[in-house]
Amino acid sequence: MPFNAKSGKFSANINTVTMGTGDKAVKIGGENVLPFFTFDAPVENAPKVGIEITDFGLENEPDCVKKYYEGCETVVDMAKKAASMEGVDFLCFRMEGGDPNGANKSTEELISTLKEVAAAVDIPLVVAGCKHVEKDAELLSKAAEAVDGKNAVILAAKEENYKTIGAAAGLAYKQIVGGESAVDINLAKQLNVLMTQLGVDPKSIVMNVGSAAAGYGFEYVVSTMQRVKAAALGQNDNTLQMPIITPVASEVWGVKEAVASEADMPEWGDAEKRGVDMEIETAAAVLAAGSNAVILKHPTAIATISKMIKELM
């Protein structure tokens, strides 16, 4: 008796979201199969890879990243260089300096830098906050206005500040709203429901369902993504059919395996290789679990993940 393979495609789809404008715009989502299951049905929009820079420029970057920006004197110089690197689909500008518990830069200073970065590149833009709920409500609302017309992703609104960010980004300036929840399918769903009740178009929402470096409670991240995709596709749950975008860089380049020097930990081997490996492993795992886009930092990791995606699609 011949073997007849059964298709694993679903009748439901992940929403298609367009990031950016013009010839350089990219689409994420749209699939009706599990990640990379192209043997079940064609996947029109491959996962995308972004590169992250911050308002600090090269100040806080590891030496293994700094060398790729040789000759760059300003954040704008970095943005231009980053946008041209192999495998980059979009640029993420993180306003890290806004944290009141850190540099506590003013909103005016950060938005001024954002405007310069947005004017300097023509690839899609993701604007990320400083991870401080109250400051981000102010920062990201102003950011939505500053990149008016760019169809940018404003990352991210949380349950504590979604009204302010959602109203500015999703309603007033028609940007894409990133909703961030803490590694729990029910919290992700709840935030999507709240934002759509506010009036944000579900097809203008992407999710960050939580992130971590591989080995740091990472099984929770993977299992949450898998459950989200299973509910979205298998149960046709339209409150979870938003594409997932995962900030990998800001997690990976803060753990000891990636940043400890060879002098401090000689038994761990080459510091750059460790950091790159950690970033690649984390990105590959979240893509396999269901992320539609990842944000990375090291050019080698970006080129490697981009090549992996092309080989699997």
Side-chain angles (χ1 to χ4, degrees):
M1 179 180 293
F3 171 71
N4 295 313
K6 182 179 179 182
S7 173
K9 69 179 180 180
F10 299 89
S11 57
N13 289 67
I14 302 301
N15 297 340
T16 299
V17 174
T18 300
M19 301 166 54
T21 60
D23 295 339
K24 297 291 182 72
V26 298
K27 293 182 179 181
I28 58 173
E31 72 273 14
N32 66 339
V33 293
L34 295 175
F36 299 113
F37 277 38
T38 52
F39 43 80
D40 282 334
V43 176
E44 183 178 349
N45 303 313
K48 300 301 186 290
V49 183
I51 186 167
E52 179 176 293
I53 64 171
T54 78
D55 58 281
F56 285 116
L58 292 173
E59 183 179 338
N60 295 333
E61 299 298 344
D63 290 339
C64 65
V65 171
K66 286 180 180 178
K67 66 182 182 182
Y68 288 91
Y69 291 96
E70 187 176 352
C72 294
E73 297 182 358
T74 66
V75 176
V76 172
D77 292 338
M78 282 186 68
K80 292 177 181 177
K81 190 77 170 283
S84 67
M85 289 183 180
E86 180 187 355
V88 170
D89 296 304
F90 63 90
L91 175 74
C92 175
F93 177 65
R94 181 176 294 280
M95 297 183 286
E96 187 177 4
D99 186 358
N101 299 312
N104 196 23
K105 292 184 181 181
S106 71
T107 298
E108 291 73 19
E109 178 183 354
L110 292 167
I111 296 303
S112 175
T113 305
L114 169 61
K115 288 179 178 179
E116 291 176 355
V117 167
V121 299
D122 60 357
I123 61 174
L125 192 62
V126 172
V127 185
C130 64
K131 300 185 179 182
H132 185 279
V133 171
E134 282 136 14
K135 187 67 174 284
D136 277 351
E138 178 184 341
L139 268 178
L140 295 177
S141 297
K142 294 289 186 181
E145 179 183 5
V147 295
D148 188 20
K150 294 285 187 179
N151 195 31
V153 177
I154 306 300
L155 193 71
K158 299 181 180 180
E159 187 170 351
E160 299 89 342
N161 60 18
Y162 79 92
K163 289 183 179 179
T164 303
I165 297 172
L171 302 181
Y173 296 101
K174 304 301 180 185
Q175 312 284 10
I176 302 159
V177 184
E180 180 179 342
S181 51
V183 201
D184 184 291
I185 185 173
N186 295 313
L187 293 177
K189 181 172 182 171
Q190 178 176 304
L191 182 55
N192 289 339
V193 169
L194 290 171
M195 288 199 291
T196 53
Q197 287 178 343
L198 183 67
V200 179
D201 184 349
K203 294 185 178 180
S204 293
I205 296 174
V206 297
M207 297 185 288
N208 171 14
V209 299
S211 55
Y216 286 79
F218 194 64
E219 65 273 18
Y220 293 104
V221 174
V222 169
S223 62
T224 297
M225 288 184 182
Q226 290 173 332
R227 290 181 67 199
V228 167
K229 290 296 183 181
L233 296 174
Q235 300 171 26
N236 195 18
D237 188 338
N238 60 15
T239 65
L240 290 169
Q241 287 172 346
M242 296 74 172
I244 297 173
I245 184 168
T246 307
V248 171
S250 58
E251 297 289 340
V252 165
W253 293 98
V255 300
K256 59 187 178 184
E257 291 84 355
V259 300
S261 70
E262 292 172 56
D264 290 337
M265 302 299 296
E267 66 272 25
W268 285 2
D270 182 81
E272 179 172 9
K273 186 176 185 301
R274 276 190 270 117
V276 171
D277 286 351
M278 177 71 83
E279 194 163 41
I280 290 171
E281 290 158 8
T282 304
V286 296
L287 288 170
S291 188
N292 297 95
V294 289
I295 300 170
L296 309 180
K297 184 186 291 285
H298 197 288
T300 300
I302 291 165
T304 302
I305 290 296
S306 179
K307 181 179 179 182
M308 183 199 82
I309 291 168
K310 290 183 174 72
E311 293 290 335
L312 291 175
M313 296 301 290

